[in-house]
Amino acid sequence: LEPQNWYAGGRGSRYRQLFRHLSDLIGSGDLRPDEQLPSEREIAEIAGISRVTVRKAIGELANAGLIEQRRGAGSFVRSQPDRHEQSLSTLISFTENLEMRGITSSSKVLLAGLFQPTTQESTALGVGPNQQIARVNRLRSGDGTPMALEYSALPGDILPHPDKVGTSIYEILRQNGTAPTRALQRVTATNATSSVADLLEVETGTALLQIKRTAYLPSGRPIEYTNGYYRPDVYDFVSEIGLD
Ligand code: 16G
C-alpha cells in the first residue's frame, strides 16, 4: 500500500476506491495468501482516510471472501478455493469479481442492440412502452470455462451503444457516472433448457442457479435488469451474515 498511489485513477467513494485497490493487490498476487494486512489504523494513516472508511473497505473484502478477519489477530488474505466465489452481499460486477481473484474473464456477446421493451422489462426498468431499451446477452467465462449466461436490459439512455460493450457493462456505467449503488437479487434453482445447456456446456436438465438482479442509481431509478444462469459446479455465491 503505497501512500502516493492507492487512489490513482480512483472513481467512486473513498471506501470503494480502497476496496478496489486492495482487491487489485490480492488479485495480482502482490498481497499473497495468508499474508496479514496492515492494521486499520496503519492503513488509515498511510492512505490519509478515516478508520471508519478503512473498516468499511475491510468489511467488503471479507464479504467478497478475499480476506479473513481473525478475532484479535487482524485480517489475512484468503487463499482462493478451486470453485469460484462471488459475494451475494456486495454489489459487484462479473468482471470485477474475477479480476480481483486474478482470473481472466471473457465474454461472448450473443446479442446486443436497442429494442422495444417487453412488459417485464418495462415494469422492471420503469420505462414506457415507446422508450427503447438496450439488450445485451452474453456468455461469460472465467479462464476459458463458461460460467454464466446473462441476459441484461438497461434503459436506452443509460446504455445508448449496447453494441460497444467490450468486457464490462459496469465499467461503462462507471465511466458515465451512472454506476448502480444498490441492487435487489432473487436467487432460484432451475434446470438448464437445451439451448442454455449448449451454451454453458452442460447436459440439458443440469441444475443451475438463476439470479435476477435489478440495480438502481442512488436516486432510486432502476437502470439494469439482468436474468442470469450460473453453473453451480464452478460458481458459489457466498454471504457473510451476523446479528449486528
Ligand atoms: C454480475 C451481475 C449482473 C451484472 C454483471 C455486470 C450477478 C448475479 N449479476 O454478473 O447483474 O449485469 O455482473 O458485469 O452478480 P460486467 O460489468 O462485467 O458486464
Side-chain angles (χ1 to χ4, degrees), residues 93-198:
S93 75
F94 185 88
T95 306
E96 260 184 310
N97 183 56
L98 292 198
E99 267 174 11
M100 67 192 202
R101 294 164 204 280
I103 299 163
T104 311
S105 73
S106 58
S107 292
K108 187 174 162 200
V109 177
L110 307 170
L111 174 121
L114 293 166
F115 298 88
Q116 293 305 115
T118 61
T119 317
Q120 194 183 28
E121 285 165 343
S122 58
T123 309
L125 295 171
V127 298
N130 299 321
Q131 280 171 284
Q132 287 196 310
I133 55 119
R135 226 177 262 155
V136 184
N137 298 348
R138 292 175 296 171
L139 174 66
R140 321 211 61 188
S141 303
D143 281 345
T145 306
M147 293 169 86
L149 191 58
E150 291 184 330
Y151 301 94
S152 300
L154 296 89
D157 61 313
I158 295 288
L159 191 68
H161 304 289
D163 50 316
K164 297 224 172 81
V165 171
T167 330
S168 170
I169 292 180
Y170 277 28
E171 185 53 34
I172 296 175
L173 299 181
R174 222 173 275 130
Q175 279 165 10
N176 294 343
T178 54
T181 52
R182 202 172 63 81
L184 192 70
Q185 293 194 151
R186 182 178 292 273
V187 184
T188 25
T190 188
N191 295 104
T193 59
S194 64
S195 57
V196 167
D198 281 352

Side-chain angles (χ1 to χ4, degrees), residues 3-34:
Q4 309 86 338
N5 72 4
W6 75 269
Y7 52 85
R11 282 181 298 271
S13 60
R14 275 284 149 108
Y15 96 83
R16 199 70 197 159
Q17 291 176 33
L18 179 61
F19 168 77
R20 235 180 261 133
H21 179 65
L22 292 171
S23 59
D24 283 350
L25 291 177
I26 295 170
S28 65
D30 287 329
L31 280 170
R32 282 185 304 280
D34 271 331

